[in-house]
Amino acid sequence: MSVMEKTAAARQAEWKPKIIAFCCNWCSYGGADLAGTNRLSYPANVKIIRVPCSCRVNPMFILRAFQKGADGVIVCGCHPGDCHYSTGNYHARRRMTMLFSMLSFLGVESARTRVEWVSAAEGARFKAVMDSFVEDITRLGPNERLEDLRCKEN
Amino acid sequence: MQKIGVFVCWCGTNIASTVDVKAVAEAAKSVPGVVFSTDYQYMCSEAGQNLIKDSVLTYGLTHVVVCSCSPRMHEATFRKAVASIGMNPYMLEVANIREQCSWVHKDKEVGTEKAIALMKAAVAKAMLNTPLTAGSTPVTKRALVIGGGIAGMQTALDIADAGFQVDIVETKPTIGGKMAQLDKTFPTLDCSSCIVTPKMVEVGQHPNITIYAYSEVTEVKGFVGQFTVTIKRKARYVDESKCTGCGACIEKCPMKKVPDEWNMNLNNRKAIYIPFAQAVPKIATIDPAYCLKLNTGKCGVCSKVCGTNAINYEAKDEYLEVGYGAIVAATGYEMIDVSKYDEYAYSNSPDVVTALEYERLMSAAGPTGGHLVRPSDGKEPKTIVFIQCVGSRETEDSCHGGKPYCSKVCCMYTAKHAILTKDHYPDTDIYVFYIDVRTPGKLFDEFYRRAVEQYNVHYIKGAVGKVTPNAETGKLDVQAADLLLMEQLQIEADMVVLAAALEPHRSARPLATMLTAPMDTNDFFTEAHAKLRPVESATAGIYLSGFCQGPKDIPETVSQAGAAAAKVIGLLSKNELVGNPCVAHSDEWMCNGCSQCENVCPYGAITYEEKEFRMPDRTTKIRRVASVNPAVCQGCGACTVTCPSGAMDLRGFTNQEIMAEVDALCL
């Protein structure tokens, strides 16, 4: 077994999915807070980044996350029609549709990326979305498509 | 050179029980840029805030990271604390290790690991934070209250008494709302109209209040302090400035068969009408769906009898545009449509009525003049069955798709109905079928016990399975179960009253969309904080009053209405509002003048201007560049992503800062 293969096998064994969730400040971040207030457990692999609106999520952020070794990226915003800034989530939806189709063309499985609408009153929905997303990513295994090995420490 | 201090909060045991706070503080010490870290039991307490302030001064910290509860909770508290010692408040970051870590992850090892990751991401972001200064915007000193029920009236009165101008927009031809339709109020049994109609008069005569009755809000633009609202004034076909409310037109109107919504359609009114005698404003309205003149061109009796020449068949809807500093939603409630509860025979028998219809049947101003009789034959009822929780407290798998919540007032008004009915006819048999009797409130349980003990109302824990109109006896066969005695019951009732669920008014959802105010799945407006900011919406400048925020009885509604008014007064008493400094800005050297950002901006905050630039080769060049108006920009960031040259960035959430967070979380 070569060194490369050995490290790959070892990595697989101790692999835990790394998931970045971009949550808009007004709805989804509030939904995540409500999940907390209601003590609704979801996997700790999900790490949330607060953005003012889902339309603040630059496709570059998502590419960067994959480059740095994330296994899945989810963008959460207000339900259509409920955006705090009126139209932000529509921009996000269009941009992400474009980006995700490009990612899928590059070989990143489409289940690794998602856009979900979670309102500030939907703590239970936040948990359900995260549970199912983590389950999808766990099934797919580590993402190796866009990972920049130069970014790895070892 | 950045010198970052990390402060880890225990939040009593809320964080400390599932996150090793000492380990987080220890881990922070090895993060580049961190020069000081510590943990404390309650960072938000005065002692905790002093700890932060003292450490900033002692160690010369340039940035502060607090690992605690959600930034939606205490970011403002900590920012204020560091600002008090001269630090720019935007040099502070909060890592949410409570709502998004300790409360959702039970395993201490996992929780600690995540808390450390979140702390590192916050440090990475804080590292790039720069001082930000907010601009300010003027405040329009006028408030809009949407809804003229008891909630809206109380809010408007309180704001107006403080000296500010208030406009009330009400869809119905009169203010007063549901409370004006009620007969008596629990638990004191004082007459509802006797307390609400003087309030209506007070509102109508207040020099600072303008009532736009028979009107709707159709568009809301702007933001806190600077809203512009379009109000549609529906055509009344009666000139408000001329009508004296004498009622001569109503007397002579030949169109008599219009269902009277004021009396819950239990009787008829004319095509020109004043909803009730104490209406404010007391102005006649022509119902365009029924008016003969408007529909067939023949008639015109009302215009002939009108002494002031107020009738105008050519009237059109008018649109007003008014500026406001604050908006209060007070849209109230309505009863659910009970016709889908077929087992209770509501659609089949006039003697099955909703509680609000029963209210009108008992009211002295109602269709029967307060003489409680069966709608079908006008006879006095001998046996009445009250069914509780019709459409309330239903589970998700219920076939009716009712409401999951408790409507809160039904137990009390049913006790009231029972007592009042017994006062009318002491020998009536009254059965109340309930799931639970819920009577928390001042003098509420005493009132309910009075119904049971003094008035001998039969309270039966159980459910009614079916109500069948019996053609032979003319009565209603009620089949029910007594769940305590485990018996089936057959009751021959004269009337059945349904305590139907109350739901937010149907106008609330489209209004929420116009206001961009969040709502929950039941269409109640969501408050900014469930405990600490119960009368404010998360959207700045929008306030909540009454049932639109959640089920409430009258005293609760009035208290909340006053609370909302206090918040509005607080806002309107400021001349200027300090804005949000987290706004977009454009790097003029990178901007290529493409106009993409201008197209996506929902606020029109971006304009283009021709600017003279001194180029490196010492020539000057006129270039077209984007410029953001920081007073109008709300900081959504749509432009930053759309900008093809990367010139546009959002302060407080810069590309670099978010990238740094991504990097830190992916390590």
Side-chain angles (χ1 to χ4, degrees), chain B residues 170-178 180-181 193 197 200 213-214 236 238 240 243 245 247 249-250 258-265 267-287 360 363-367:
Chain B
E170 167 62 52
T171 48
K172 301 224 167 57
T174 172
I175 57 168
K178 293 280 186 301
Q181 286 178 285
S193 338
T197 50
M200 292 162 63
Y214 208 50
R236 273 186 194 257
V238 176
E240 290 193 17
C243 177
C249 52
I250 300 169
V258 188
D260 187 355
E261 55 286 90
W262 172 252
N263 280 329
M264 303 308 291
N265 301 337
N267 64 345
N268 290 332
R269 60 163 167 81
K270 302 285 185 72
I272 187 165
Y273 66 106
I274 293 174
F276 60 109
Q278 296 89 350
V280 173
K282 198 172 178 184
I283 293 168
T285 307
I286 292 182
D287 190 333
R360 294 311 298 155
S363 167

Side-chain angles (χ1 to χ4, degrees), chain A:
Chain A
M1 205 186 266
S2 76
V3 178
M4 282 296 282
E5 278 169 336
K6 217 185 270 172
T7 47
R11 256 189 86 206
Q12 183 80 44
E14 61 186 44
W15 174 77
K16 276 186 283 179
K18 264 182 208 162
I19 290 163
I20 302 291
F22 289 98
C23 289
C24 82
N25 181 45
W26 304 97
C27 290
S28 307
Y29 197 85
D33 277 357
L34 187 64
T37 311
N38 294 342
R39 311 297 196 273
L40 303 170
S41 264
Y42 53 87
N45 319 64
V46 178
K47 309 235 164 60
I48 296 169
I49 294 180
R50 181 164 72 130
V51 285
C53 175
S54 51
C55 72
R56 179 64 188 95
V57 180
N58 197 311
M60 297 298 285
F61 302 161
I62 294 171
L63 293 175
R64 175 77 155 214
F66 282 125
Q67 185 191 21
K68 291 281 179 173
D71 300 298
V73 179
I74 181 165
V75 177
C76 299
C78 310
H79 284 274
D82 289 352
C83 175
H84 181 76
Y85 305 101
S86 318
T87 51
N89 49 3
Y90 297 134
H91 291 302
R93 183 164 64 181
R94 288 189 176 194
R95 283 175 193 146
M96 293 309 141
T97 310
M98 301 283 281
L99 174 69
F100 294 173
S101 76
M102 185 194 82
L103 284 175
S104 148
F105 175 75
L106 292 175
V108 177
E109 297 88 338
S110 58
R112 289 193 191 277
T113 47
R114 240 201 233 188
V115 172
E116 289 279 358
W117 312 129
V118 180
S119 84
E122 294 178 327
R125 180 169 153 76
F126 185 85
K127 172 205 158 57
V129 163
M130 291 308 154
D131 281 350
S132 94
F133 191 59
V134 173
E135 199 188 309
D136 283 358
I137 302 299
T138 311
R139 203 175 47 243
L140 285 169
N143 176 49
E144 275 153 357
R145 265 298 168 185
L146 290 177
E147 192 176 356
D148 189 343
L149 292 174
R150 290 169 303 177
C151 298
K152 282 274 146 199
E153 280 163 15
N154 42 18

Side-chain angles (χ1 to χ4, degrees), chain B residues 61-295:
Chain B
L61 303 177
T62 57
H63 296 72
V64 169
V65 170
V66 184
C67 303
S68 61
C69 51
S70 171
R72 287 161 59 101
M73 184 84 186
H74 274 317
E75 191 177 55
T77 315
F78 294 127
R79 280 188 172 161
K80 222 187 230 169
V82 297
S84 72
I85 49 160
M87 184 188 246
N88 185 286
Y90 292 87
M91 305 299 263
L92 178 136
E93 279 298 319
V94 173
N96 185 344
I97 62 165
R98 191 178 77 173
E99 280 85 347
Q100 295 177 8
C101 189
S102 74
W103 275 354
V104 284
H105 308 310
K106 305 284 179 281
D107 186 311
K108 195 157 185 173
E109 203 179 311
V110 170
T112 308
E113 199 184 310
K114 181 169 172 181
I116 291 173
L118 295 176
M119 176 271 292
K120 284 181 176 168
V123 170
K125 188 180 177 202
M127 197 78 125
L128 298 164
N129 279 5
T130 49
L132 302 178
T133 318
S136 60
T137 51
V139 178
T140 309
K141 300 203 176 239
R142 192 178 191 95
L144 171 67
V145 175
I146 302 169
I150 182 63
M153 288 195 294
Q154 187 63 47
T155 304
L157 278 173
D158 288 348
I159 299 170
D161 281 343
F164 297 105
Q165 293 292 322
V166 192
D167 294 351
I168 298 180
V169 171
E170 167 62 52
T171 48
K172 301 224 167 57
T174 172
I175 57 168
K178 293 280 186 301
M179 190 179 166
Q181 286 178 285
L182 305 182
D183 176 32
K184 298 214 164 49
T185 55
F186 60 77
T188 46
L189 294 183
D190 42 356
C191 146
S192 188
S193 338
C194 314
I195 44 184
V196 80
T197 50
K199 269 242 182 293
M200 292 162 63
V201 173
E202 205 183 330
V203 170
Q205 292 179 345
H206 204 293
N208 290 344
I209 300 180
T210 311
I211 302 173
Y212 294 114
Y214 208 50
S215 302
E216 285 165 14
V217 170
T218 54
E219 198 186 356
V220 179
K221 284 188 289 198
F223 49 90
V224 55
Q226 295 276 311
F227 292 107
T228 307
V229 178
T230 309
I231 299 167
K232 174 184 171 184
R233 307 212 63 199
K234 293 183 278 184
R236 273 186 194 257
Y237 305 99
V238 176
D239 190 331
E240 290 193 17
S241 60
K242 291 181 184 164
C243 177
T244 58
C246 70
C249 52
I250 300 169
E251 211 172 287
K252 295 283 185 258
C253 175
M255 186 61 210
K256 293 173 184 164
K257 295 209 165 150
V258 188
D260 187 355
E261 55 286 90
W262 172 252
N263 280 329
M264 303 308 291
N265 301 337
L266 290 167
N267 64 345
N268 290 332
R269 60 163 167 81
K270 302 285 185 72
I272 187 165
Y273 66 106
I274 293 174
F276 60 109
Q278 296 89 350
V280 173
K282 198 172 178 184
I283 293 168
T285 307
I286 292 182
D287 190 333
Y290 292 93
C291 174
L292 292 171
K293 177 75 178 174
L294 290 176
N295 288 297

Side-chain angles (χ1 to χ4, degrees), chain B residues 350-421:
Chain B
D351 295 335
V352 181
V353 296
T354 66
L356 207 48
E357 288 164 8
Y358 196 73
E359 203 77 49
R360 294 311 298 155
L361 285 174
M362 285 196 302
S363 167
T368 55
H371 187 56
L372 179 59
V373 290
R374 294 180 5 138
S376 61
D377 54 11
K379 283 186 190 150
E380 291 173 3
K382 296 281 170 235
T383 308
I384 304 179
V385 169
F386 287 87
I387 307 177
Q388 300 293 281
C389 298
V390 177
S392 292
R393 303 178 68 195
E394 287 201 353
T395 49
E396 269 174 28
D397 50 344
S398 148
C399 54
H400 297 306
K403 306 293 171 187
Y405 54 85
C406 164
S407 299
K408 198 165 190 179
V409 290
C410 324
C411 285
M412 282 305 289
Y413 72 58
T414 298
K416 174 191 79 177
H417 286 164
I419 287 178
L420 289 175
T421 309

